[in-house]
Amino acid sequence: MKEIPNHIAIIMDGNGRWAKQRKKMRTTGHRQGVEALRAVLTKADELGINHLTVYAFSTENWARPKAEIKALMLLLLEYIKNESKALHKKNVRITTIGDLGSFDEKIQLEIAKAKELTKDNTGLNFNIALNYGGRDEIRRAVEKIVEQERKGNREGISVTEEEIERYLDTRDMPDPDLLIRTSGEMRLSNYLLWQMAYTELVFTETLWPDFTGEDLEKAIETYQNRDRRFGKI
Ligand code: IPE
Ligand code: IPE
Ligand code: MG
């Protein structure tokens, strides 16, 4: 049997189109998306995946209509509040990537609580990308390195890849082995740009609210049939 991926990253896309097909509000699609996430988390946990990183809100998503952003924020707050205890019971460790500073204090507080509650858990690492953009993450890392230099904590212009990685939001995580994007779009949309240098990409037409645990298993199977060369022969 081939190895299961250690780290799976997902771009949960297509909630709006799922709702449109049913003549429902986009928010209804986002709600159904949360249900899909629940099932996928359960399956990932069962399969013994170590890290699952999901794209929940990008730095570009602020350009959406105010009402949709508000609905997404409410949903996020509700999700963190309702779900963290159950996830804690499952030994899941909740982490986030992205700049949380732009969110309401209430949301920041709930996220901090969920992280604190689950920080010593040894099961699945459930990592949520919130106000995340790959470029912004790299920009923030560079800023921190410059700051260290200014404070006199480092010297010289030479920067290694390892040093950059120490300042990325994913500093304690391995790179993703597998990326899954739903809804038929074949682009990265500013997701984990540094970390996905050698990630296997799997795209599916399925809209995120329709994505199931079985679809996750199928994507893993596709991954297992790939030949990862990392530049070698
Ligand atoms: C993904 O679904 C969820 C978020 C980006 C928050 P979309 O809302 O992008 O759904 P589509 O792409 O418009 O169908
Ligand atoms: C990517 O989806 C972001 C999330 C899933 C949170 P988008 O729907 O925002 O991406 P684009 O705009 O189609 O590239
Ligand atoms: Mg989309």
Side-chain angles (χ1 to χ4, degrees), residues 145-169:
I145 293 170
V146 170
E147 175 70 4
Q148 288 304 311
E149 180 80 20
R150 198 189 58 77
K151 283 184 178 161
N153 295 337
R154 78 180 293 283
E155 234 171 75
I157 54 163
S158 164
V159 181
T160 62
E161 291 186 8
E162 288 73 24
E163 185 178 11
I164 292 172
E165 281 168 359
R166 277 203 297 279
Y167 290 98
L168 293 176
D169 298 341

Side-chain angles (χ1 to χ4, degrees), residues 205-218:
E205 292 290 328
T206 306
L207 301 174
W208 177 251
D210 290 328
F211 195 83
T212 63
E214 217 168 283
D215 292 323
L216 179 70
E217 287 182 305
K218 258 189 259 162

Side-chain angles (χ1 to χ4, degrees), residues 12-17 26 30 56 61 64 68 72:
M12 310 183 288
D13 198 13
N15 296 351
R17 277 161 284 167
R26 290 180 60 87
H30 294 314
N61 287 148
R64 293 190 179 198
E68 178 164 352
L72 281 168

